[in-house]
Amino acid sequence: MVPTRELLPTAEPLSLLRKDGSPVEDSPLAMPDDDVLLELHRRMVVGRRFDTQATALTKQGRLAVYPSSRGQEACEVGAVLALREQDWLFPTYRDCVALVTRGVDSAETLTLLQGGWHLGYDPYVHRVGPQCTPLATNTLHAVGFAHAARLKGEDTAALVLVGDGATSEGDTHEALNFAGVWKAPVVFLVQNNGYAISVPMSKQNAAPSLAHKGIGYGVPSVLVDGNDVAAVYAVVKEAVEAGGPTLIEALTYRIEAHTNADDATRYRTSDEVAAWLDRDPVDRIEAYLTARGLLTPERRAAVAAEAEEFAAGVRAALNTDHEHDPMSLFEHVYATPTRHLREQAALLAEELA
């Protein structure tokens, strides 16, 4: 467990595995059990294959846009697997790997980015809120949900995923303040990948770290190595079990461009990317498990085959065209449609007739 729940984060990010996969001997964190580590590895391999497949489908025109999370798998997989069944996840548009890790169908996960339904899955089935596209709005959703659950006497925590750019939004600060005052059981996980699209950290934050922003709201804060899946799992699990709010900043890196519409070479160098490739989260856990004899060649091959089969399923689902009823535009917005919407729906129905 994390040694203390102090307001101040540590000066250096907490970790369990170095970038070469060797263990950190004096880490205050508890190493997850072997079966958990193997599951973390398996889900990361499948998640990365899903991510590369979605990127390829975007280039083929099957998705309107896709924000890759390659390089951030440790954050998304480690955090989601640390949740209990009754907990809820509030993701952003970049967190598709988190969704499939939570068990959401891959095709339903990509419906938003395909240009179909805004929400392609039932939030109640897997306890996953809608993917947030406007920055930081999901922080308020998570805090309100968690506070309501506590008022109802439910043992439910909320995990909200945000990027570093979202910490500059007012919604994040309102959510942190509310969570601090009401001790709402919310884990704020900031995936600090270094850039808010093309804006570097140096141009949006003057604090020693993003985790330090919890201090002003009385929220305990943790700084963790976001490419160390064992450490991410450990700190999120501890935060969930502790109850109350926690702000976690996970230092990681977005290997691909912001989306397929972005040219990352205009604001970062290839040397910078190469340095982070050397800290790859999948390679790190593989090296550790292999050195301990837990990841055998047979298991590695089985996991790779599972990932390929998963990707084939994604291709099959996304290469199927679906007919959308134009009238569905008016559904699921209001329980009772407004007069203007009823008039617009009638006009569209008349034109379609």
Side-chain angles (χ1 to χ4, degrees), residues 89-345:
L89 169 67
F90 291 84
T92 74
Y93 57 87
R94 193 177 299 284
D95 303 317
C96 291
V97 170
L99 267 69
V100 297
T101 302
R102 187 66 171 168
V104 179
D105 177 81
S106 60
E108 294 178 357
T109 295
L110 295 171
T111 300
L112 168 67
L113 302 171
Q114 193 179 25
W117 285 94
H118 180 67
L119 179 62
Y121 53 89
D122 184 343
Y124 292 97
V125 173
H126 300 288
R127 297 181 175 82
V128 178
Q131 284 178 280
C132 157
T133 301
L135 292 185
T137 53
N138 56 339
T139 59
L140 298 171
H141 301 164
V143 169
F145 182 93
H147 183 57
R150 169 164 287 180
L151 291 177
K152 291 190 291 185
E154 298 174 354
D155 180 20
T156 304
L159 168 67
V160 56
L161 304 178
V162 295
D164 44 281
T167 64
S168 296
E169 296 285 336
D171 285 1
T172 300
H173 297 269
E174 293 164 13
L176 281 167
N177 188 56
F178 188 98
V181 170
W182 294 98
K183 308 303 180 190
V186 182
V187 181
F188 297 83
L189 178 62
V190 180
Q191 297 180 71
N192 180 0
N193 63 23
Y195 292 91
I197 305 183
S198 59
V199 179
M201 279 297 297
S202 60
K203 292 187 177 179
Q204 65 163 322
N205 176 60
S209 74
L210 296 177
H212 278 77
K213 296 190 176 186
I215 300 171
Y217 304 108
V219 174
S221 304
V222 178
L223 182 63
V224 67
D225 185 335
N227 280 19
D228 178 352
V229 70
V232 173
Y233 175 89
V235 297
V236 174
K237 187 172 187 293
E238 189 278 339
V240 169
E241 293 176 347
T246 302
L247 173 62
I248 299 172
E249 177 186 0
L251 297 176
T252 184
Y253 195 77
R254 163 171 54 80
I255 297 299
E256 303 293 342
H258 174 66
T259 68
N260 52 298
D262 174 41
D263 179 7
T265 63
R266 300 186 64 177
Y267 55 84
R268 65 185 193 185
T269 66
S270 57
D271 288 344
E272 179 181 302
V273 178
W276 279 93
L277 285 171
D278 191 44
R279 302 175 59 181
D280 185 84
V282 178
D283 291 347
R284 188 182 307 198
I285 188 69
E286 280 191 354
Y288 175 73
L289 293 172
T290 301
R292 290 194 53 211
L294 296 170
L295 184 62
T296 62
E298 292 77 15
R299 181 177 175 89
R300 185 196 296 263
V303 171
E306 179 187 352
E308 286 303 320
E309 184 178 355
F310 192 88
V314 176
R315 288 196 300 274
L318 271 293
N319 282 327
T320 301
D321 291 323
H322 300 281
E323 293 291 334
H324 296 288
D325 179 4
M327 296 303 297
S328 65
L329 283 169
F330 300 96
E331 299 175 359
H332 308 301
V333 177
Y334 296 100
T336 303
T338 63
R339 177 175 60 84
H340 293 96
L341 281 180
R342 291 197 301 272
E343 291 174 355
Q344 292 170 28

